[in-house]
PDB file of all heavy atoms in Angstrom:
ATOM      1  N   GLU A   1       5.054  -4.618  -1.948  1.00  0.00           N
ATOM      2  CA  GLU A   1       5.062  -6.042  -2.215  1.00  0.00           C
ATOM      3  C   GLU A   1       6.438  -6.387  -2.842  1.00  0.00           C
ATOM      4  O   GLU A   1       6.839  -5.862  -3.858  1.00  0.00           O
ATOM      5  CB  GLU A   1       3.973  -6.397  -3.193  1.00  0.00           C
ATOM      6  CG  GLU A   1       3.816  -7.884  -3.441  1.00  0.00           C
ATOM      7  CD  GLU A   1       2.691  -8.193  -4.428  1.00  0.00           C
ATOM      8  OE1 GLU A   1       1.734  -7.400  -4.587  1.00  0.00           O
ATOM      9  OE2 GLU A   1       2.760  -9.242  -5.077  1.00  0.00           O
ATOM     10  N   GLY A   2       7.169  -7.217  -2.158  1.00  0.00           N
ATOM     11  CA  GLY A   2       8.541  -7.538  -2.604  1.00  0.00           C
ATOM     12  C   GLY A   2       8.589  -8.257  -3.939  1.00  0.00           C
ATOM     13  O   GLY A   2       7.674  -8.992  -4.286  1.00  0.00           O
ATOM     14  N   VAL A   3       9.644  -7.985  -4.708  1.00  0.00           N
ATOM     15  CA  VAL A   3       9.856  -8.656  -6.028  1.00  0.00           C
ATOM     16  C   VAL A   3      11.226  -9.338  -5.977  1.00  0.00           C
ATOM     17  O   VAL A   3      12.055  -9.090  -5.090  1.00  0.00           O
ATOM     18  CB  VAL A   3       9.800  -7.634  -7.190  1.00  0.00           C
ATOM     19  CG1 VAL A   3       8.415  -7.028  -7.283  1.00  0.00           C
ATOM     20  CG2 VAL A   3      10.854  -6.500  -7.021  1.00  0.00           C
ATOM     21  N   ASP A   4      11.445 -10.218  -6.942  1.00  0.00           N
ATOM     22  CA  ASP A   4      12.675 -11.038  -6.946  1.00  0.00           C
ATOM     23  C   ASP A   4      13.881 -10.160  -7.248  1.00  0.00           C
ATOM     24  O   ASP A   4      15.006 -10.383  -6.737  1.00  0.00           O
ATOM     25  CB  ASP A   4      12.582 -12.149  -7.945  1.00  0.00           C
ATOM     26  CG  ASP A   4      11.563 -13.199  -7.539  1.00  0.00           C
ATOM     27  OD1 ASP A   4      11.301 -13.286  -6.314  1.00  0.00           O
ATOM     28  OD2 ASP A   4      11.038 -13.998  -8.381  1.00  0.00           O
ATOM     29  N   ALA A   5      13.748  -9.216  -8.149  1.00  0.00           N
ATOM     30  CA  ALA A   5      14.860  -8.370  -8.563  1.00  0.00           C
ATOM     31  C   ALA A   5      14.351  -7.019  -9.100  1.00  0.00           C
ATOM     32  O   ALA A   5      13.211  -6.913  -9.608  1.00  0.00           O
ATOM     33  CB  ALA A   5      15.692  -9.078  -9.636  1.00  0.00           C
ATOM     34  N   LEU A   6      15.188  -5.991  -9.043  1.00  0.00           N
ATOM     35  CA  LEU A   6      14.889  -4.757  -9.629  1.00  0.00           C
ATOM     36  C   LEU A   6      15.785  -4.466 -10.823  1.00  0.00           C
ATOM     37  O   LEU A   6      16.891  -5.096 -10.898  1.00  0.00           O
ATOM     38  CB  LEU A   6      15.073  -3.600  -8.614  1.00  0.00           C
ATOM     39  CG  LEU A   6      14.127  -3.582  -7.411  1.00  0.00           C
ATOM     40  CD1 LEU A   6      14.474  -2.449  -6.504  1.00  0.00           C
ATOM     41  CD2 LEU A   6      12.655  -3.516  -7.845  1.00  0.00           C
ATOM     42  N   HIS A   7      15.370  -3.605 -11.762  1.00  0.00           N
ATOM     43  CA  HIS A   7      16.238  -3.324 -12.935  1.00  0.00           C
ATOM     44  C   HIS A   7      16.649  -1.846 -12.934  1.00  0.00           C
ATOM     45  O   HIS A   7      16.212  -1.071 -12.038  1.00  0.00           O
ATOM     46  CB  HIS A   7      15.456  -3.689 -14.252  1.00  0.00           C
ATOM     47  CG  HIS A   7      14.083  -3.120 -14.280  1.00  0.00           C
ATOM     48  ND1 HIS A   7      13.818  -1.787 -14.540  1.00  0.00           N
ATOM     49  CD2 HIS A   7      12.860  -3.705 -14.128  1.00  0.00           C
ATOM     50  CE1 HIS A   7      12.534  -1.571 -14.560  1.00  0.00           C
ATOM     51  NE2 HIS A   7      11.875  -2.714 -14.298  1.00  0.00           N
ATOM     52  N   GLY A   8      17.405  -1.453 -13.874  1.00  0.00           N
ATOM     53  CA  GLY A   8      17.889  -0.086 -13.972  1.00  0.00           C
ATOM     54  C   GLY A   8      16.762   0.853 -14.370  1.00  0.00           C
ATOM     55  O   GLY A   8      15.659   0.468 -14.768  1.00  0.00           O
ATOM     56  N   CYS A   9      17.046   2.188 -14.281  1.00  0.00           N
ATOM     57  CA  CYS A   9      16.011   3.137 -14.701  1.00  0.00           C
ATOM     58  C   CYS A   9      16.721   4.488 -14.983  1.00  0.00           C
ATOM     59  O   CYS A   9      17.922   4.640 -14.718  1.00  0.00           O
ATOM     60  CB  CYS A   9      14.943   3.351 -13.639  1.00  0.00           C
ATOM     61  SG  CYS A   9      15.536   4.276 -12.187  1.00  0.00           S
ATOM     62  N   ASP A  10      15.902   5.385 -15.513  1.00  0.00           N
ATOM     63  CA  ASP A  10      16.323   6.768 -15.774  1.00  0.00           C
ATOM     64  C   ASP A  10      15.353   7.684 -15.041  1.00  0.00           C
ATOM     65  O   ASP A  10      14.141   7.644 -15.287  1.00  0.00           O
ATOM     66  CB  ASP A  10      16.293   7.065 -17.300  1.00  0.00           C
ATOM     67  CG  ASP A  10      16.918   8.381 -17.657  1.00  0.00           C
ATOM     68  OD1 ASP A  10      16.595   9.427 -17.036  1.00  0.00           O
ATOM     69  OD2 ASP A  10      17.681   8.464 -18.691  1.00  0.00           O
ATOM     70  N   HIS A  11      15.832   8.503 -14.123  1.00  0.00           N
ATOM     71  CA  HIS A  11      14.932   9.219 -13.235  1.00  0.00           C
ATOM     72  C   HIS A  11      15.452  10.663 -13.037  1.00  0.00           C
ATOM     73  O   HIS A  11      16.631  10.921 -12.943  1.00  0.00           O
ATOM     74  CB  HIS A  11      14.868   8.534 -11.856  1.00  0.00           C
ATOM     75  CG  HIS A  11      13.945   9.181 -10.869  1.00  0.00           C
ATOM     76  ND1 HIS A  11      12.548   9.166 -11.047  1.00  0.00           N
ATOM     77  CD2 HIS A  11      14.181   9.902  -9.772  1.00  0.00           C
ATOM     78  CE1 HIS A  11      11.999   9.856 -10.022  1.00  0.00           C
ATOM     79  NE2 HIS A  11      12.958  10.325  -9.246  1.00  0.00           N
ATOM     80  N   GLN A  12      14.478  11.589 -12.980  1.00  0.00           N
ATOM     81  CA  GLN A  12      14.775  13.011 -12.721  1.00  0.00           C
ATOM     82  C   GLN A  12      14.478  13.312 -11.283  1.00  0.00           C
ATOM     83  O   GLN A  12      13.366  13.142 -10.799  1.00  0.00           O
ATOM     84  CB  GLN A  12      14.002  13.936 -13.662  1.00  0.00           C
ATOM     85  CG  GLN A  12      14.115  15.405 -13.285  1.00  0.00           C
ATOM     86  CD  GLN A  12      14.431  16.286 -14.442  1.00  0.00           C
ATOM     87  OE1 GLN A  12      14.957  15.853 -15.443  1.00  0.00           O
ATOM     88  NE2 GLN A  12      14.088  17.550 -14.377  1.00  0.00           N
ATOM     89  N   VAL A  13      15.489  13.828 -10.554  1.00  0.00           N
ATOM     90  CA  VAL A  13      15.311  14.162  -9.110  1.00  0.00           C
ATOM     91  C   VAL A  13      14.342  15.378  -8.993  1.00  0.00           C
ATOM     92  O   VAL A  13      14.499  16.378  -9.710  1.00  0.00           O
ATOM     93  CB  VAL A  13      16.669  14.511  -8.502  1.00  0.00           C
ATOM     94  CG1 VAL A  13      16.501  14.871  -7.030  1.00  0.00           C
ATOM     95  CG2 VAL A  13      17.659  13.345  -8.683  1.00  0.00           C
ATOM     96  N   VAL A  14      13.459  15.299  -8.037  1.00  0.00           N
ATOM     97  CA  VAL A  14      12.483  16.357  -7.826  1.00  0.00           C
ATOM     98  C   VAL A  14      13.204  17.651  -7.394  1.00  0.00           C
ATOM     99  O   VAL A  14      14.262  17.615  -6.781  1.00  0.00           O
ATOM    100  CB  VAL A  14      11.436  15.904  -6.780  1.00  0.00           C
ATOM    101  CG1 VAL A  14      12.079  15.817  -5.385  1.00  0.00           C
ATOM    102  CG2 VAL A  14      10.253  16.815  -6.744  1.00  0.00           C
ATOM    103  N   ALA A  15      12.627  18.801  -7.735  1.00  0.00           N
ATOM    104  CA  ALA A  15      13.197  20.078  -7.330  1.00  0.00           C
ATOM    105  C   ALA A  15      13.236  20.268  -5.832  1.00  0.00           C
ATOM    106  O   ALA A  15      12.392  19.740  -5.078  1.00  0.00           O
ATOM    107  CB  ALA A  15      12.427  21.229  -7.953  1.00  0.00           C
ATOM    108  N   ASP A  16      14.233  20.979  -5.349  1.00  0.00           N
ATOM    109  CA  ASP A  16      14.499  21.152  -3.890  1.00  0.00           C
ATOM    110  C   ASP A  16      13.508  22.194  -3.299  1.00  0.00           C
ATOM    111  O   ASP A  16      13.654  23.385  -3.563  1.00  0.00           O
ATOM    112  CB  ASP A  16      15.917  21.606  -3.727  1.00  0.00           C
ATOM    113  CG  ASP A  16      16.359  21.561  -2.237  1.00  0.00           C
ATOM    114  OD1 ASP A  16      15.495  21.802  -1.364  1.00  0.00           O
ATOM    115  OD2 ASP A  16      17.532  21.251  -1.968  1.00  0.00           O
ATOM    116  N   ARG A  17      12.559  21.692  -2.521  1.00  0.00           N
ATOM    117  CA  ARG A  17      11.542  22.597  -1.972  1.00  0.00           C
ATOM    118  C   ARG A  17      12.174  23.574  -0.950  1.00  0.00           C
ATOM    119  O   ARG A  17      11.656  24.726  -0.773  1.00  0.00           O
ATOM    120  CB  ARG A  17      10.370  21.824  -1.385  1.00  0.00           C
ATOM    121  CG  ARG A  17      10.746  20.963  -0.201  1.00  0.00           C
ATOM    122  CD  ARG A  17       9.646  19.965   0.111  1.00  0.00           C
ATOM    123  NE  ARG A  17      10.153  18.940   1.030  1.00  0.00           N
ATOM    124  CZ  ARG A  17       9.978  18.959   2.366  1.00  0.00           C
ATOM    125  NH1 ARG A  17       9.327  19.941   2.942  1.00  0.00           N
ATOM    126  NH2 ARG A  17      10.471  18.031   3.119  1.00  0.00           N
ATOM    127  N   ILE A  18      13.245  23.134  -0.288  1.00  0.00           N
ATOM    128  CA  ILE A  18      13.850  24.014   0.751  1.00  0.00           C
ATOM    129  C   ILE A  18      14.663  25.156   0.063  1.00  0.00           C
ATOM    130  O   ILE A  18      14.645  26.274   0.472  1.00  0.00           O
ATOM    131  CB  ILE A  18      14.707  23.257   1.722  1.00  0.00           C
ATOM    132  CG1 ILE A  18      13.841  22.129   2.364  1.00  0.00           C
ATOM    133  CG2 ILE A  18      15.282  24.131   2.806  1.00  0.00           C
ATOM    134  CD1 ILE A  18      12.616  22.573   3.087  1.00  0.00           C
ATOM    135  N   GLU A  19      15.329  24.813  -1.039  1.00  0.00           N
ATOM    136  CA  GLU A  19      16.021  25.854  -1.802  1.00  0.00           C
ATOM    137  C   GLU A  19      14.993  26.856  -2.343  1.00  0.00           C
ATOM    138  O   GLU A  19      15.171  28.042  -2.253  1.00  0.00           O
ATOM    139  CB  GLU A  19      16.841  25.259  -2.973  1.00  0.00           C
ATOM    140  CG  GLU A  19      17.650  26.356  -3.726  1.00  0.00           C
ATOM    141  CD  GLU A  19      18.303  25.903  -4.998  1.00  0.00           C
ATOM    142  OE1 GLU A  19      17.764  25.012  -5.669  1.00  0.00           O
ATOM    143  OE2 GLU A  19      19.339  26.436  -5.351  1.00  0.00           O
ATOM    144  N   ALA A  20      13.905  26.294  -2.885  1.00  0.00           N
ATOM    145  CA  ALA A  20      12.836  27.153  -3.372  1.00  0.00           C
ATOM    146  C   ALA A  20      12.263  28.064  -2.286  1.00  0.00           C
ATOM    147  O   ALA A  20      12.113  29.268  -2.429  1.00  0.00           O
ATOM    148  CB  ALA A  20      11.703  26.328  -4.000  1.00  0.00           C
ATOM    149  N   GLY A  21      12.021  27.441  -1.113  1.00  0.00           N
ATOM    150  CA  GLY A  21      11.492  28.254   0.030  1.00  0.00           C
ATOM    151  C   GLY A  21      12.499  29.287   0.525  1.00  0.00           C
ATOM    152  O   GLY A  21      12.057  30.441   0.876  1.00  0.00           O
ATOM    153  N   THR A  22      13.794  29.001   0.412  1.00  0.00           N
ATOM    154  CA  THR A  22      14.813  29.970   0.803  1.00  0.00           C
ATOM    155  C   THR A  22      14.782  31.183  -0.138  1.00  0.00           C
ATOM    156  O   THR A  22      14.856  32.338   0.323  1.00  0.00           O
ATOM    157  CB  THR A  22      16.204  29.306   0.805  1.00  0.00           C
ATOM    158  OG1 THR A  22      16.210  28.181   1.713  1.00  0.00           O
ATOM    159  CG2 THR A  22      17.290  30.295   1.172  1.00  0.00           C
ATOM    160  N   PHE A  23      14.625  30.973  -1.421  1.00  0.00           N
ATOM    161  CA  PHE A  23      14.538  32.037  -2.369  1.00  0.00           C
ATOM    162  C   PHE A  23      13.247  32.834  -2.208  1.00  0.00           C
ATOM    163  O   PHE A  23      13.236  34.048  -2.329  1.00  0.00           O
ATOM    164  CB  PHE A  23      14.664  31.553  -3.792  1.00  0.00           C
ATOM    165  CG  PHE A  23      16.098  31.415  -4.246  1.00  0.00           C
ATOM    166  CD1 PHE A  23      16.760  30.186  -4.214  1.00  0.00           C
ATOM    167  CD2 PHE A  23      16.840  32.494  -4.693  1.00  0.00           C
ATOM    168  CE1 PHE A  23      18.072  30.079  -4.585  1.00  0.00           C
ATOM    169  CE2 PHE A  23      18.185  32.373  -5.020  1.00  0.00           C
ATOM    170  CZ  PHE A  23      18.799  31.144  -4.977  1.00  0.00           C
ATOM    171  N   LEU A  24      12.148  32.140  -1.877  1.00  0.00           N
ATOM    172  CA  LEU A  24      10.879  32.820  -1.614  1.00  0.00           C
ATOM    173  C   LEU A  24      11.080  33.826  -0.448  1.00  0.00           C
ATOM    174  O   LEU A  24      10.607  34.971  -0.510  1.00  0.00           O
ATOM    175  CB  LEU A  24       9.767  31.815  -1.237  1.00  0.00           C
ATOM    176  CG  LEU A  24       9.238  30.945  -2.380  1.00  0.00           C
ATOM    177  CD1 LEU A  24       8.187  29.947  -1.820  1.00  0.00           C
ATOM    178  CD2 LEU A  24       8.657  31.726  -3.568  1.00  0.00           C
TER     179      LEU A  24
END
């Protein structure tokens, strides 16, 4: 649902599943 404007945020990028799979 669209909104008029978005604001800033602080976000942690999810861990890389392909890097994890490569090490596995």
Side-chain angles (χ1 to χ4, degrees):
E1 186 180 335
V3 296
D4 291 338
L6 295 178
H7 51 74
C9 75
D10 189 314
H11 181 72
Q12 172 132 334
V13 180
V14 70
D16 190 327
R17 61 194 168 97
I18 305 301
E19 185 189 32
T22 301
F23 275 98
L24 290 178

